[in-house]
Amino acid sequence: MAGGLTYTVEETTKLSTAEIYATVLADLAAEHPEIVTLTPDLAKSTKVGVFAERFPERFYNFGIAEANMIGAAAGMAACGLVPFTSSFAIFNSMRALDQVHTDVCYPNLNVKMIGSHAGLSFGQAGSTHHCTEDLAIMRSMANLTVICPADGIETANAVVAAYERFGPVYLRINRGFDQVVYDAMDYGFEIGRAVQLHEGTDLTLIACGSAVFQALQAARELAATDGVRVRVLNMHTIKPIDADAIRAAVQETRRIITVEDHTVLGGLGGAVAEVIAEGGKACAFRRLGLQDRFSPIGLHEDLMSYHGFDTAGIMASVREVMKLDFEDTDDWDDEF
């Protein structure tokens, strides 16, 4: 990690995910003067006011002009700076998409785009602020790395990793306080490598973002109540995705369920399905998330329950998928 920055669970649980991002970025900037921050009048909401207070000469507020902000970030990167843009995920991935595509990704510039309030984490704000399509959109951009951390500790790791990785990066975080998955930073975060959080051979849950905690809770409860051994993979990097971990899960568990705070079209579920299809080995497969629909307005935890990807919804889906039978053979030749 750059400069050996470390944060503990005691520190991160006192801060929202956005506050952790801003704090880590400011600490990183103290060591690296080329880091600058840009925001479209969202310093308060995305918590980068911390950066502005420490480095006012390296902080730029563009007003409500997201496209202009991304274009300027591209110019700064072309001059050797490392710009971090800080906006809501919905604006980063949709309102400024032309500039993301043409100004940043096409020339492969070193711009780091932080999209906060992602998924349904700002559920009470309504459809204009629900961001449930960004993973599908952003992972289709050539040259772009897409990261969706599970909690505050992983966000800290991801910010540092984004800085250390040359090229455009999209980092997707939530609005408020995330449930704790990790208690220390040294669990082995690496872009493009999934983290196994729970062992299992009956079924694999592959999750990202806020869904990781829900999947882990479901696996623990299913082990206690049903005796089902559920593997849990935190797929924090959507692109490049860890194809080896997915293929191993198919081979060893034969049942895969993806869980994401996002539409099931094109995001984590779509990415995993592509790997499975190209691998040539059949498995039972289900995608949990928004089922090709918009969401009603509500609090995040209520909306996760409504769409069936909270702990209870995941457990119900696991029980259904576990009822599916396979031929009693280890011969995969007929699966090609």
Side-chain angles (χ1 to χ4, degrees):
M1 289 298 172
L5 297 179
T6 59
Y7 303 88
T8 66
V9 68
E10 287 80 10
E11 294 170 315
T12 59
T13 51
K14 298 175 183 177
L15 303 173
S16 69
T17 305
E19 287 172 322
I20 293 167
Y21 147 65
T23 300
V24 175
L25 182 60
D27 289 345
L28 200 59
E31 301 178 5
H32 302 280
E34 70 277 15
I35 293 177
V36 295
T37 297
L38 299 75
T39 186
D41 209 24
L42 287 171
K44 182 177 180 180
S45 296
T46 63
K47 309 304 180 184
V48 289
V50 172
F51 187 102
E53 291 174 2
R54 292 178 61 179
F55 308 103
E57 74 285 358
R58 293 154 64 185
F59 176 81
Y60 302 89
N61 188 350
F62 283 79
I64 306 174
E66 291 85 354
N68 188 32
M69 175 190 69
I70 295 294
M76 291 177 178
C79 295
L81 297 174
V82 181
F84 279 73
T85 68
S86 192
S87 182
F88 289 1
I90 191 77
F91 304 143
N92 240 326
S93 62
M94 295 190 188
R95 185 171 294 175
L97 184 59
D98 186 21
Q99 285 68 34
V100 170
H101 170 274
T102 306
D103 295 352
V104 174
C105 294
Y106 179 64
N108 196 26
L109 292 174
N110 198 27
V111 177
K112 318 304 177 183
M113 295 167 283
I114 314 300
S116 69
H117 297 63
L120 298 172
S121 64
F122 200 12
Q124 61 269 43
S127 293
T128 57
H129 287 61
H130 295 170
C131 190
T132 55
E133 302 84 14
D134 58 323
L135 294 178
I137 293 168
M138 299 300 262
R139 81 178 186 92
S140 69
M141 297 291 122
N143 297 321
L144 185 60
T145 297
V146 180
I147 308 173
C148 184
D151 69 355
I153 287 284
E154 191 154 74
T155 296
N157 270 323
V159 170
V160 178
Y163 168 77
E164 293 177 337
R165 185 179 182 87
F166 183 84
V169 176
Y170 176 64
L171 178 56
R172 180 196 213 241
I173 61 177
N174 293 323
R175 171 179 181 258
F177 288 82
D178 285 309
Q179 299 284 358
V180 174
V181 176
Y182 299 103
D183 58 9
M185 289 184 68
D186 58 353
Y187 59 88
F189 179 90
E190 183 181 343
I191 289 176
R193 290 287 300 274
V195 179
Q196 182 169 311
L197 298 175
H198 197 269
E199 295 184 358
T201 55
D202 293 325
L203 180 145
T204 299
L205 293 171
I206 303 177
C208 65
S210 58
V212 172
F213 177 83
Q214 305 296 327
L216 187 56
Q217 288 294 99
R220 289 169 175 167
E221 292 190 29
L222 285 162
T225 60
D226 297 42
V228 177
R229 297 165 297 176
V230 177
R231 181 178 305 182
V232 177
L233 296 180
N234 171 16
M235 194 65 69
H236 52 71
T237 307
I238 310 302
K239 181 187 174 186
I241 200 161
D242 190 344
D244 289 342
I246 296 168
R247 287 192 287 262
V250 172
Q251 178 75 35
E252 295 164 9
T253 72
R254 301 293 300 271
R255 298 172 175 86
I256 308 291
I257 298 178
T258 60
V259 194
E260 58 194 310
D261 186 1
H262 185 272
T263 176
V264 297
L265 303 177
L268 173 65
V272 171
E274 291 165 10
V275 174
I276 294 172
E278 290 177 352
K281 297 185 184 300
C283 68
F285 181 62
R286 180 170 296 187
R287 295 167 296 164
L288 300 185
L290 278 73
Q291 302 294 323
D292 193 19
R293 63 189 302 184
F294 291 106
S295 179
I297 298 170
L299 297 176
H300 193 198
E301 56 269 27
D302 294 332
L303 296 180
M304 286 192 289
S305 174
Y306 177 85
H307 293 288
F309 61 90
D310 64 343
T311 298
I314 296 169
M315 290 177 66
S317 290
V318 168
R319 287 171 176 142
E320 291 176 4
V321 173
M322 285 300 300
K323 295 176 182 178
L324 301 177
D325 293 325
F326 295 97
E327 293 181 8
D328 206 11
T329 176
D330 292 328
D331 183 6
W332 288 88
D333 291 341
D334 61 343
E335 304 294 346
F336 285 87

